[in-house]
Amino acid sequence: MIIAILLTACLQDRPFLEKHCLECHDKDNAKGGLNLDGLKLDPQDLKNFAVWVKVHDRVHDGEMPPDKKAKPARADVDAFLKSVADPLVAADQAREAAEGRSIWRRLNRYEYENTLRDLLQAPWLQIKEMLPEDGERYRFNKAGEGLDVSHVQMAQYLLAAEYALREVTANQVARPETTTTRYYTRDQKSFANKMKFNEFNRSPERATFPVLGFEGQPKIRTGDGQLSVGPADPATREKEGIGLVAGAYEPLEPKFNEFKAPRAGRYRLRLFAQSVWVGPGKEPKWWVPDLDNVARGRRPEPITLYSEIPPRLLRRLGAFDITPDPAVAAMETWLLKGETIRPDASRLFRSRPPNWHNPLATKEGCPGVVYRWLEVEGPLLDQWPSAGHQLLFGDLPIRQTAPGKVEIDSANPKADADRLLRAFIRKAYRRPAAEADIARFAQVIHKALDGGIPFADAMIAGYSAVLCSPGFVCLEERPGWLDDDALASRLSYFLWNSPPDDALRAAAERGDLRRPDTLRALAARMIEDPKSTRFVDAFVDYWLDLRRVNATSPDAELYPDYYLDDLLVESADEEPRATFEELLHGNLPTRNVVASDFVVVNERLAAHYGLAGVEGVAFRRVSLPEGSVRGGFLTQAGVLKVTANGTTTSPVLRGAWVMERILGKPAPPPPPSVPAVEPDIRGATTIREQLDKHRSLKTCAACHSKIDPAGFALESFDVLGGWRRQYRALGQGTKAAGYGKNGQPFAFHHGPEVDASGELPGGGAFKDILELKKLILRDERGIARNLARQLLVFATGSGVRFGDRGQVEEILDRTADGGYGVKSIVLEIALSGLFQRK
């Protein structure tokens, strides 16, 4: 059948090629390296297949024949496209029937961490960074082509598995006591000792200062008074605090160092603090604060809490606002053993030498914060031994052998080992385990026991082998329709980025998972489950490249107003995730990917975007004023940061990002012999002028005419998404007025004006980002098509092939009435043959 279609296609496409293509693409010319003279359509050959897909798409999109040639009749075009498409689709379908769409793969490190956390019921496990970085294919870490398995990989899996197992194994007989301990700031050396720095750090901006209620305490600050009344006077002690007018940064790094988490687990933190206003210093240095002149704060201040393992191994726990009136802010979080708590008044400046100037200071004073105490309750245990320990050792007795060490007693070690191992594998594997699997791992344990290894260590050796085995590490799928167990795993690693729960496994065991109503209901439930944040985070990390948001930092000289602003960067990282969650849970039309009448922001981002009336560190949906350039992913700070390098922006990089991530039309790689265009930070020439010269090369012009326009529109946004009308430059010029977050005066000057205009290929001129968005949204189906394709790669681990295109269009047809709602697309993908077949 395929041969017949191929021969028919060869006869049909030849007249079209001779009339419209061979003048430029014969053996004598071969423009673009494409010679169609005598090229047969042989879709069995993958290289030949790729050439004809390219020919099909160029003709389909109207790019070929070029405008200078007479355009063929629509009927002729359709006939030609069909003659090429039919054999290509047939060949793809034949390959799928034999091999499946996706390649066998292992779990990536995100999935492996989540899987261990769920299996052992230990959400605090930090596994991901113990494993090598995953490879990518189709821009995601979900495809087998990019997820190789080497001896290094397996060695790290083994280390990570053993670490996780030992972390959940009880190390004492008695249930650990849950305590509530209050840590007063005046008992913390990192607070109290910083009231007196050395000569280099003696400036008041880099010191902590004592406060009693809202009153300064000059005698204590100078060392002439008692630091604290201590427990003898509880009422006064509650009013004692230590204040700062700067954020946490070397050498001012306040932390509650008297606390160290006694064990990994869940804790409840309560911070008693207040915002204050510190009076100005004496003229002429009015910006130097008078640390003895303290009053009630004029506004709330955002506080970010980090856990820290010294020196400076920080992990963000969360953020909240503290108010001018002393109050307690609380959060529950997971801590690792040995971690302490470090607060950061993240809006305040970070003083860096020499001769800093607090940019938040006025002649009336400057803001500050006062910390009084941190109360820690924990560890908060649901049961003892933990659920993870009970999965490993059941109800076998625990015997203490030494502080922090125990042994598991078993009267019949091999019988207990077999029983426990069978239960563990049933829970760990996402399919019924074969007796051969159980026997293989039992041998590991029996051999260890025969060698005199203690029972717990022998079991951990066997369990570690299970957690490194193909049945656990790999997603086992066979060509054709997935069986119920494989389908349950595919659905869970799609919508949770983690293994199926009991409800999903039960549906698989009943054999009704493939029923459309059952599958739709389960998928909808999973989207609303808190674990769907794992899907959102992982998908956005790779779709938008957001995992690289911290790969670069704003340049200290060109962007001192962003430099060291962790609150801005962390908020910029959160916005795309919060936005995608809003689109998903609200089933909003896909057009919102490009342009929306709202943003999901907090106060810091709202200020960055020039939006008034947003207060506090919490994210919320905010309506945009008419004519706002914000809305959609294109103009988000996090996205604009990952498409810049911290110093300059490039229309090429941003344009290529838009073409691939939003429009689904990736640009080919540049010729190796052509150097990249580097923007001029001196401001002598604009990037547009440089690109005009670059495009004078014929080898560059064809691609850059497609890539650059969207990038030019985004030139109105700087390296962290701030709106600009002029570039910044260094060197000769009148310096801009102001001080950076590091307290240093601006070193940059304003350079040439930004020209954000351009013209899309095939027509469609625009003068700014607003007009570009309107042009892009002329093809809403195209935006939805790209999102569906990105989601399909994430869901199945396979790129969308030529033979899949018809099914993608069916998904779009079924969601068109709702404006291609994001949740609807996700559900239709789960119900599609593309998803349910390997």
Side-chain angles (χ1 to χ4, degrees):
M1 178 64 179
I2 294 177
I3 295 175
I5 293 174
L6 187 151
L7 292 174
T8 302
C10 290
L11 293 174
Q12 287 180 339
D13 64 35
R14 193 50 47 189
F16 185 93
L17 293 174
E18 290 174 353
K19 184 176 181 180
H20 300 288
C21 305
L22 292 185
E23 180 181 340
C24 298
H25 297 289
D26 61 5
K27 61 182 179 181
D28 296 324
N29 293 312
K31 289 187 177 180
L34 178 62
N35 175 16
L36 297 176
D37 194 1
L39 181 67
K40 293 183 178 181
L41 179 54
D42 182 11
Q44 310 280 13
D45 180 275
L46 293 180
K47 289 185 177 180
N48 181 278
F49 186 101
V51 171
W52 283 104
V53 168
K54 181 178 179 181
V55 171
H56 174 279
D57 289 350
R58 298 290 292 275
V59 174
H60 178 275
D61 294 342
E63 297 179 14
M64 292 292 167
D67 291 336
K68 64 182 179 179
K69 292 180 65 65
K71 290 293 184 183
R74 185 71 254 175
D76 292 342
V77 171
D78 291 342
F80 172 76
L81 292 175
K82 188 176 188 307
S83 72
V84 175
D86 285 350
L88 294 181
V89 171
D92 255 348
Q93 291 174 344
R95 274 191 286 268
E96 180 190 336
E99 305 167 3
R101 292 181 65 251
S102 57
I103 293 178
W104 173 94
R105 75 172 179 92
R106 63 170 171 83
L107 301 178
N108 63 46
R109 60 185 195 151
Y110 289 69
E111 295 167 333
Y112 192 76
E113 178 179 79
N114 288 335
T115 303
L116 285 184
R117 286 176 172 181
D118 286 3
L119 173 66
L120 302 175
Q121 297 186 48
W124 39 267
L125 285 173
Q126 301 290 310
I127 300 296
K128 184 175 60 179
E129 299 304 323
M130 299 177 67
L131 303 174
E133 185 75 44
D134 295 315
E136 296 176 35
R137 191 69 186 270
Y138 317 113
R139 289 293 187 181
F140 285 90
N141 62 341
K142 290 278 192 171
E145 297 98 319
L147 296 172
D148 59 332
V149 180
S150 66
H151 69 281
V152 173
Q153 193 86 38
M154 294 310 300
Q156 292 303 113
Y157 270 126
L158 189 62
L159 289 174
E162 183 177 355
Y163 163 77
L165 293 165
R166 293 195 181 280
E167 281 292 296
V168 300
T169 300
N171 60 2
Q172 61 188 68
V173 176
R175 179 188 181 104
E177 183 182 3
T178 296
T179 61
T180 301
T181 307
R182 187 168 292 180
Y183 299 90
Y184 292 91
T185 52
R186 297 206 185 183
D187 296 334
Q188 313 304 309
K189 291 181 180 180
S190 68
F191 278 93
N193 288 2
K194 297 296 175 67
M195 284 191 286
K196 285 190 173 182
F197 276 89
N198 59 31
E199 183 67 29
F200 178 71
N201 292 314
R202 192 165 289 171
S203 171
E205 291 101 326
R206 303 186 74 155
T208 56
F209 55 94
V211 173
L212 184 65
F214 288 108
E215 299 294 326
Q217 295 181 289
K219 288 187 178 180
I220 294 178
R221 192 166 65 82
T222 58
D224 297 324
Q226 184 179 1
L227 179 61
S228 173
V229 297
D233 185 354
T236 301
R237 195 183 196 192
E238 283 293 292
K239 296 180 181 179
E240 292 178 341
I242 292 183
L244 307 87
V245 296
Y249 198 73
E250 185 185 7
L252 189 63
E253 299 172 282
K255 66 194 72 155
F256 290 90
N257 51 270
E258 292 297 311
F259 164 72
K260 288 181 175 57
R263 64 185 311 111
R266 185 164 54 94
Y267 291 80
R268 185 173 295 116
L269 308 178
R270 301 182 184 91
L271 181 69
F272 190 29
Q274 70 209 56
S275 64
V276 295
W277 187 260
V278 181
K282 296 179 180 179
E283 294 286 357
K285 292 189 176 182
W286 49 264
W287 60 87
V288 179
D290 179 356
L291 300 181
D292 301 322
N293 181 4
V294 183
R296 183 179 181 275
R298 299 185 177 184
R299 53 153 290 158
E301 289 294 339
I303 301 293
T304 305
L305 289 188
Y306 299 90
S307 65
E308 178 181 359
I309 293 180
R312 303 185 186 93
L313 185 58
L314 300 176
R315 191 166 58 86
R316 186 178 184 273
L317 302 178
F320 43 65
D321 299 295
I322 60 169
T323 59
D325 294 317
V328 175
M331 72 167 60
E332 282 194 12
T333 190
W334 297 91
L335 297 177
L336 304 178
K337 182 179 180 180
E339 286 185 321
T340 188
I341 303 301
R342 170 171 162 170
D344 179 23
S346 47
R347 192 179 75 94
L348 306 186
F349 90 119
R350 289 172 161 179
S351 58
R352 307 305 300 146
N355 303 319
W356 49 81
H357 181 120
N358 186 343
L360 298 180
T362 70
K363 290 193 174 184
E364 294 179 352
C366 66
V369 297
V370 169
Y371 301 106
R372 296 194 182 185
W373 47 255
L374 174 74
E375 191 172 80
V376 182
E377 180 184 359
L380 305 173
L381 303 172
D382 296 323
Q383 61 187 78
W384 186 261
S386 69
H389 176 97
Q390 292 189 33
L391 173 65
L392 304 183
F393 302 109
D395 57 359
L396 292 178
I398 307 173
R399 177 166 50 87
Q400 193 88 33
T401 59
K405 293 185 177 181
V406 299
E407 285 188 4
I408 308 298
D409 285 335
S410 170
N412 193 343
K414 289 189 177 180
D416 283 335
D418 291 349
R419 171 178 59 85
L420 292 169
L421 176 65
R422 184 176 295 273
F424 180 80
I425 293 179
R426 186 182 305 117
K427 189 77 172 176
Y429 276 19
R430 298 170 291 277
R431 57 163 175 79
E435 287 299 318
D437 290 331
I438 298 172
R440 183 168 66 255
F441 299 123
Q443 288 180 358
V444 175
I445 300 173
H446 291 181
K447 185 175 181 180
L449 291 172
D450 291 341
I453 302 296
F455 182 80
D457 291 338
M459 293 303 300
I460 287 176
Y463 292 147
S464 296
V466 172
L467 298 182
C468 294
S469 69
F472 183 81
V473 173
C474 301
L475 294 173
E476 299 180 326
E477 301 171 346
R478 293 170 179 81
W481 292 98
L482 299 177
D483 63 38
D484 287 84
D485 294 311
L487 182 56
S489 289
R490 179 169 279 194
L491 187 63
S492 65
Y493 282 104
F494 175 27
L495 298 180
W496 284 346
N497 217 34
S498 57
D501 65 355
D502 290 341
L504 199 53
R505 294 183 72 160
E509 289 175 6
R510 291 193 303 269
D512 62 359
L513 190 58
R514 205 179 307 283
R515 290 174 51 191
D517 55 343
T518 300
L519 187 59
R520 181 183 288 273
L522 284 169
R525 172 189 71 92
M526 295 170 72
I527 289 172
E528 298 308 317
D529 189 281
K531 283 197 288 189
S532 67
T533 57
R534 295 175 175 177
F535 156 55
V536 171
D537 287 345
F539 178 69
V540 170
D541 266 353
Y542 280 82
W543 172 39
L544 303 179
D545 243 359
L546 205 63
R547 69 195 186 285
R548 305 187 192 279
V549 74
N550 290 310
T552 61
S553 296
D555 185 79
E557 291 187 297
L558 275 171
Y559 292 96
D561 39 346
Y562 303 154
Y563 175 63
L564 303 180
D565 194 342
D566 288 347
L567 178 59
L568 176 58
V569 174
E570 289 166 356
S571 299
D573 180 39
E574 179 63 26
E575 183 190 9
R577 307 175 196 278
T579 301
F580 190 78
E581 282 194 341
E582 186 78 12
L583 301 186
L584 177 66
H585 294 296
N587 197 25
L588 301 183
T590 303
R591 71 184 317 275
N592 288 281
V593 167
V594 173
S596 63
D597 60 2
F598 69 90
V599 288
V600 184
V601 295
N602 60 4
E603 181 182 2
R604 180 65 189 91
L605 273 180
H608 189 53
Y609 295 164
L611 302 175
V614 181
E615 297 180 354
V617 75
F619 276 77
R620 80 297 307 259
R621 178 170 170 163
V622 176
S623 296
L624 290 170
E626 187 71 25
S628 173
V629 298
R630 304 296 172 174
F633 290 103
L634 294 180
T635 54
Q636 291 181 347
V639 167
L640 292 161
K641 185 176 189 295
V642 299
T643 55
N645 64 11
T647 301
T648 57
T649 60
S650 167
V652 179
L653 294 178
R654 284 180 169 172
W657 186 94
V658 172
M659 292 291 294
E660 180 176 0
R661 309 307 171 92
I662 304 300
L663 303 182
K665 299 177 180 179
S673 59
V674 179
V677 178
E678 297 293 338
D680 182 2
I681 64 171
R682 300 165 303 164
T685 59
T686 67
I687 185 65
R688 183 181 287 269
E689 291 169 340
Q690 292 173 276
L691 283 172
D692 284 342
K693 294 180 180 179
H694 192 71
R695 282 195 300 272
S696 65
L697 300 172
K698 290 184 178 181
T699 54
C700 302
C703 290
H704 278 276
S705 65
K706 303 174 187 177
I707 297 171
D708 296 350
F712 283 140
L714 294 176
E715 281 297 276
S716 291
F717 303 91
D718 63 28
V719 299
L720 227 164
W723 177 260
R724 66 184 177 189
R725 298 188 183 280
Q726 292 175 277
Y727 293 100
R728 294 183 180 187
L730 299 174
Q732 297 297 319
T734 303
K735 301 292 188 291
Y739 291 86
K741 195 175 176 71
N742 62 357
Q744 297 305 305
F746 290 165
F748 67 87
H749 65 270
H750 293 296
E753 290 189 359
V754 171
D755 179 359
S757 64
E759 184 172 355
L760 297 179
F766 59 87
K767 65 180 181 181
D768 55 26
I769 185 64
L770 288 174
E771 292 189 356
L772 174 67
K773 287 182 178 182
K774 290 178 182 177
L775 292 173
I776 291 176
L777 287 176
R778 293 185 302 187
D779 183 16
E780 290 189 31
R781 189 178 179 94
I783 305 302
R785 181 181 297 112
N786 175 64
L787 180 62
R789 288 184 171 195
Q790 302 278 1
L791 287 165
L792 275 165
V793 174
F794 186 89
T796 67
S798 173
V800 176
R801 303 177 311 170
F802 192 89
D804 301 331
R805 293 180 181 184
Q807 294 184 66
V808 173
E809 296 307 309
E810 292 173 3
I811 291 171
L812 298 179
D813 289 341
R814 292 193 292 270
T815 59
D817 288 345
Y820 310 105
V822 173
K823 182 176 179 180
S824 295
I825 291 176
V826 169
L827 292 176
E828 290 298 333
I829 285 174
L831 292 167
S832 71
L834 292 175
F835 183 81
Q836 295 186 32
R837 292 175 63 89
K838 178 184 182 293

